[in-house]
Amino acid sequence: MIPLLLRLSAGIDAINRMVGRSCIWLILASILISAGNAWTRKLFDASSNAWLEIQWYLFAAAFLGAAGYTLLVNEHVRIDALSQRFSARARAWVDLLAFLVLVLPFCGLLIYLGHELFWRAWVSGEMSHNAGGLIRWPVYLALPVGFVLLFLQVVSEIIKRGAWLAGHRTRSQDSEADLPPLRIGGAAPQEGGR
Amino acid sequence: MMEWIMANMAPIMFASLALFLISGIPVAFALASCGLLFAFIGIELDMLPPSLMQALPLRVLGIMANETLLAIPFFTFMGLVLQRSGMAEDLLETVGQVFGAMRGGLALAVVVVGSLLAATTGVVAASIIAMGLISMPIMLRYGYDRRVASGVITAAGSLAQVVPPSLVLIVMADQLGRSVGEMYAGALLPALMLIGAYAALVIVLAILFPKMLPALPPEALIYKEPDGGSGLRSLALLALVSVGAGWLALRFYPLVLQAVDRNVDAPKDELVMVALAGGVLFAFLAALVDSVTRLGLLSTIARRVAFVLIPPLLLIFLVLGTIFVGIATPTEGGAMGAVGALVLAVVRRRLDINQCMDALLATTKLSTFVMFILLGATVFSLTFQAVDGNLWVEHLFDQLPGGSTGFLIAVTAMVFILGFFLDFFEIAFILLPLLAPIADKLGIDLIWFGVLIGINLQTSFLTPPFGFALFYLRSVAPAEDYVDAESGKTIARVTTGQIYAGAVPFIAIQVVLLGLIIAFPQLVIGDRAFEQKIKLAPGVITDRMRNLQPGGGYKAPEMDMDALFGTPPGTAPAPEAAPAMPPEPAPAEKR
């Protein structure tokens, strides 16, 4: 049972690593487009609502898409003034319980609400109210998709904490340093993490 | 029992949030799950309508479509690129060499560099760590008093809370519902006063206690002319000529404005920006020409200063200038700054593709956790308002004596203490939305309020024993005695007590400045040059309108999403309203 769960967790981690690390290009595109918008408006007197809207489409997709990855590398900030005095086991228990009882329902709710939002926009073909604006469903889709990824990662983290508490894993959670570094070509040795 | 719970839902919810937060689960999830849990309880007790959470998707959309918050990744990326391309190191070395020959020079260099880093990178941890690793050993080697050395590093390194165009001010403006431009304009003078006061303290100390802040010995000055001179005269000359160039830029600026059909008097802050940018640009071009043609008119150190100090200055002017002049929204200003930083780093061959990807990844993760705290705070506030939590908070402050002064004192104390445990983003997203409406109702100017909170937080970060800035320095300052590689001398460790003691005079400066700002709000509000520009100068707006017309297709701003779906409290007004317009004009229209 536990090896199976750990394989599930490793699979989820791999998916979120891939998706999260792809999101960096959305951020870069958003930066370049935003800077470009300012220049073209000033230099060529041209302005397009589509180009203005794509900025926040890209950013929204990036931060929702990377939410699972950020959890994977444990970089959603915590207030650790008190909890750093707990034992490592106590911290793992707190995470495990909170993730299971509180965070999973939250993700579930947003998946449900987000999918409704997306579905309505998809069926109605809702467009931006701005002239020349973009169609809405792609950015609405980012909401349920992002929360599905986060939901999966929460599941994976629960498995990891549990497996560690039961003595089946050497680390209770991972950090960026445990993953293979992000390098061009991408194919750094898969198991070569420090 | 049930009645008691129902009557005290808001305080119970707030206490639960505190419990969730200190349990150490991620802040975003603590906020969201607390909101969700109490929504569930409220619905079960028939206190709240079952449809409560239906409002959530639209609030989340409001966050996704918020143009101001787009500035978060842009400014973060700009800061990270500058940081990873070694800007802090270059700046510290060069500025240290310029001032090093005089007493207290190294400490002054830290103040100057700290201000520049605060404005451009805005990351307190990074600034302090860089200065602690680079400047601290040099200051210790040449016999600086440890308290002075650590105090100046922690104080200058935590300036990011108040120096525009820092990200902190953008988020603050967004949460207070004010324009970023106003916030920048309001923070400018207090920030300059703080920097000035730090520098003055260093100079006074250097005069009174020469032994505590010794000058660098001649052998430590590395940029020498062939004839053995320091080359500082050449640098002074370049500076003088550049000031002249700035003055010329100021004189000819009205002609430029006429040429682009903006027949208005530019406001003061814009003029200051133009003069500074003109002078700095001239110095850079002069150094470039001198170096390309090998004329050799400038000394080594003058060229070095021009090439190291000026690029970050130009970036600041690019970002602040375009926003003040009205070319770009703060978001676009940040994007241009990010592109500028990228170009600088690539031109100087300081950044390869892998470092760039690392910077992007760090940006993505930071933006994600910040946006998720905001998301969580939205879920929390949805329920908290449904149980009349905002009334409860308001009522708490009602009972304070002293009206708006009492409120300000209470908030100051609260933010100061919370600053020990919470980072800026948590305070901005959880506390500001609760406090801002009360401040507004009491007739407190929100820009003034925001600047006060910024300086207050900085003070909090500096205050022993909990201040973050002190921890960051502690993590890099030598904790054991060590042998200095350069001089061969054994140098004693820096004790935590010395780091604490060093911060004290700077905290005193903070407190005095806070008092001054409370006593003289016009330091922040000033003559509201920024607002006046908008009121008196329709040129900016018509200019923008004209830009939009010819492309065809631009129609009058549509009704914004918030108006359609109800305004999410605490988020910026109208994310979608007229995206082609800069947000600056909004406050003028509001009044």
Side-chain angles (χ1 to χ4, degrees):
Chain A
M1 184 62 186
I2 286 179
L4 198 67
L5 285 174
L6 279 175
R7 267 175 52 200
L8 173 68
S9 156
I12 293 172
D13 289 4
I15 293 172
N16 264 322
R17 192 174 77 208
M18 199 189 71
V19 176
R21 288 183 170 183
S22 309
C23 285
I24 66 172
W25 304 114
L26 304 180
I27 298 268
L28 183 65
S30 172
I31 291 171
L32 297 177
I33 289 172
S34 182
N37 279 341
W39 284 111
T40 48
R41 192 172 63 221
K42 201 64 192 172
L43 295 180
F44 309 113
D45 270 4
S47 181
S48 139
N49 281 317
W51 283 105
L52 287 167
E53 287 180 8
I54 194 81
Q55 296 175 38
W56 70 260
Y57 274 40
L58 288 169
F59 179 49
F63 81 76
L64 288 164
Y69 180 75
T70 307
L71 182 63
L72 163 65
V73 294
N74 192 23
E75 290 192 32
H76 279 287
V77 279
R78 302 157 181 265
I79 295 172
D80 56 3
L82 182 70
S83 64
Q84 66 188 358
R85 288 159 202 266
F86 301 169
S87 69
R89 290 188 71 85
R91 279 201 300 267
W93 271 112
V94 168
D95 263 9
L96 196 147
L97 290 177
F99 284 170
L100 196 64
V101 179
L102 299 170
V103 184
L104 279 185
F106 165 62
C107 294
L109 178 75
L110 271 145
I111 293 168
Y112 174 73
L113 294 172
H115 113 275
E116 276 189 342
L117 191 75
F118 158 72
W119 188 248
R120 274 202 303 272
W122 169 262
V123 171
S124 67
E126 183 187 338
M127 295 289 294
S128 158
H129 302 280
N130 298 310
L134 300 171
I135 194 156
R136 280 285 183 251
W137 66 260
V139 74
Y140 290 178
L141 181 62
L143 189 59
V145 169
F147 272 91
V148 166
L149 287 166
L150 182 60
F151 185 96
L152 290 174
Q153 193 58 46
V154 173
V155 170
S156 165
E157 296 301 313
I158 292 173
I159 296 174
K160 283 191 268 186
R161 300 294 187 284
W164 179 76
L165 284 168
H168 291 276
R169 208 169 179 279
T170 51
R171 293 187 299 265
S172 68
Q173 60 197 19
D174 300 326
S175 71
E176 191 73 55
D178 299 319
L179 305 182
L182 175 61
R183 288 294 167 260
I184 196 74
Q190 283 299 305
E191 300 308 321
R194 274 162 290 158
Chain B
M1 181 65 189
M2 270 304 149
E3 259 102 78
W4 182 83
I5 289 179
M6 285 172 77
N8 292 289
M9 198 74 158
I12 295 173
M13 189 174 169
F14 204 77
S16 310
L17 176 67
L19 199 70
F20 281 28
L21 284 174
I22 60 168
S23 77
I25 60 173
V27 173
F29 300 153
L31 282 160
S33 44
C34 185
L36 206 58
L37 179 68
F38 279 84
F40 178 74
I41 296 176
I43 292 168
E44 287 299 304
L45 291 176
D46 282 334
M47 275 180 74
L48 301 174
S51 60
L52 182 67
M53 283 294 146
Q54 293 294 332
L56 198 56
L58 292 169
R59 290 199 175 200
V60 175
L61 277 185
I63 293 172
M64 288 160 69
N66 183 323
E67 209 218 292
T68 310
L69 295 175
L70 258 177
I72 293 174
F74 298 175
F75 276 88
T76 308
F77 185 64
M78 170 167 104
L80 284 172
V81 166
L82 290 175
Q83 184 199 331
R84 293 190 186 190
S85 58
M87 185 181 78
E89 288 80 357
D90 287 355
L91 277 173
L92 281 168
E93 199 220 29
T94 308
V95 182
Q97 288 290 322
V98 172
F99 292 119
M102 64 181 193
R103 287 204 309 257
L106 282 178
L108 268 186
V110 167
V111 173
V112 171
V113 175
S115 324
L116 287 175
L117 292 180
T120 48
T121 67
V123 186
V124 176
S127 308
I128 292 181
I129 288 171
M131 296 197 288
L133 285 176
I134 301 161
S135 298
M136 190 88 172
I138 303 177
M139 291 202 262
L140 295 182
R141 180 183 307 148
Y142 296 110
Y144 259 67
D145 184 277
R146 279 125 214 290
R147 289 165 299 175
V148 175
S150 43
V152 79
I153 289 176
T154 46
S158 55
L159 275 171
Q161 308 303 315
V162 280
V163 181
S166 136
L167 178 60
V168 167
L169 293 169
I170 297 182
V171 172
M172 189 104 81
D174 178 68
Q175 290 296 304
L176 291 170
R178 289 298 141 114
S179 85
V180 176
E182 270 185 299
M183 201 76 214
Y184 281 172
L188 199 55
L189 189 57
L192 291 176
M193 285 171 69
L194 260 186
I195 298 168
Y198 290 177
L201 176 69
V202 167
I203 292 169
V204 168
L205 281 176
I207 292 171
L208 293 181
F209 309 102
K211 288 219 177 87
M212 286 167 77
L213 302 88
L216 284 183
E219 68 269 17
L221 300 172
I222 51 174
Y223 299 117
K224 287 220 177 72
E225 293 310 291
D227 62 3
S230 67
L232 286 178
R233 193 173 300 164
S234 162
L235 175 63
L237 204 65
L238 177 66
L240 208 65
V241 176
S242 303
V243 170
W247 182 77
L248 279 180
L250 201 59
R251 290 299 301 270
F252 285 103
Y253 189 56
L255 294 179
V256 177
L257 283 186
Q258 272 175 13
V260 296
D261 288 342
R262 250 187 72 191
N263 294 315
V264 285
D265 290 331
K268 266 182 257 159
D269 49 4
E270 186 176 328
L271 289 178
V272 169
M273 208 55 75
V274 167
L276 286 173
V280 167
L281 198 61
F282 172 82
F284 185 69
L285 291 178
L288 198 65
V289 168
D290 182 70
S291 144
V292 169
T293 58
R294 297 172 196 277
L295 272 175
L297 290 176
L298 294 172
S299 63
T300 321
I301 193 155
R303 269 202 307 272
R304 180 88 188 145
V305 167
F307 288 133
V308 171
L309 193 60
I310 289 177
L313 278 176
L314 275 180
L315 265 186
I316 297 173
F317 295 141
L318 176 74
V319 176
L320 270 186
T322 48
I323 296 170
F324 279 175
V325 177
I327 296 174
T329 63
T331 307
E332 290 168 338
M336 287 200 283
V339 172
L342 208 52
V343 170
L344 274 180
V346 170
V347 166
R348 294 167 64 203
R349 293 168 208 275
R350 283 298 189 79
L351 198 76
D352 63 25
I353 179 75
N354 285 328
Q355 285 167 308
C356 179
M357 289 200 307
D358 283 342
L360 275 172
L361 185 63
T363 305
T364 309
K365 287 186 291 192
L366 183 131
S367 326
T368 302
F369 89 63
V370 171
M371 294 306 282
F372 264 76
I373 294 179
L374 185 54
L375 265 176
T378 306
V379 181
F380 177 80
S381 81
L382 186 67
T383 313
F384 195 60
Q385 286 183 352
V387 300
D388 287 333
N390 44 349
L391 293 181
W392 172 68
V393 173
E394 206 174 304
H395 187 60
L396 278 185
F397 284 103
D398 272 354
Q399 294 165 340
L400 285 173
S404 61
T405 319
F407 171 77
L408 276 181
I409 292 172
V411 168
T412 306
M414 191 163 71
V415 169
F416 180 74
I417 292 169
L418 285 175
F420 292 150
F421 309 103
L422 303 184
D423 200 5
F424 166 73
F425 288 114
E426 284 116 73
I427 291 183
F429 292 143
I430 304 172
L431 219 54
L432 281 190
L434 294 176
L435 298 178
I438 307 176
D440 204 27
K441 224 181 247 179
L442 287 168
I444 294 170
D445 183 275
L446 287 184
I447 299 289
W448 183 57
F449 188 63
V451 173
L452 276 178
I453 290 188
I455 298 177
N456 194 347
L457 271 180
Q458 192 204 347
T459 317
S460 180
F461 293 169
L462 272 181
T463 303
F466 293 114
F468 282 118
L470 309 172
F471 286 129
Y472 295 138
L473 183 61
R474 176 70 280 172
S475 70
V476 292
E480 303 289 338
D481 298 358
Y482 67 102
V483 178
D484 179 50
E486 196 108 341
S487 62
K489 283 185 293 191
T490 303
I491 293 182
R493 69 200 185 95
V494 175
T495 65
T496 306
Q498 285 164 341
I499 295 179
Y500 287 177
V504 171
F506 291 94
I507 297 171
I509 291 182
Q510 303 285 125
V511 173
V512 170
L513 193 84
L514 266 178
L516 277 177
I517 292 177
I518 291 178
F520 304 104
Q522 55 278 32
L523 287 173
V524 172
I525 304 164
D527 51 356
R528 268 291 149 77
F530 203 78
E531 197 182 340
Q532 278 178 1
K533 175 174 79 181
I534 292 153
K535 277 190 181 147
L536 301 178
V540 180
I541 296 163
T542 46
D543 185 30
R544 179 87 24 154
M545 290 309 227
R546 209 180 30 246
N547 286 344
L548 299 172
Q549 303 296 350
Y554 183 82
K555 68 169 183 160
E558 51 128 353
M559 262 182 19
D560 60 85
M561 206 155 67
D562 293 339
L564 289 173
F565 302 119
T567 310
T571 49
E576 277 197 330
M581 302 273 290
E584 285 93 316
E589 291 159 6
K590 241 192 258 169
R591 301 226 161 84

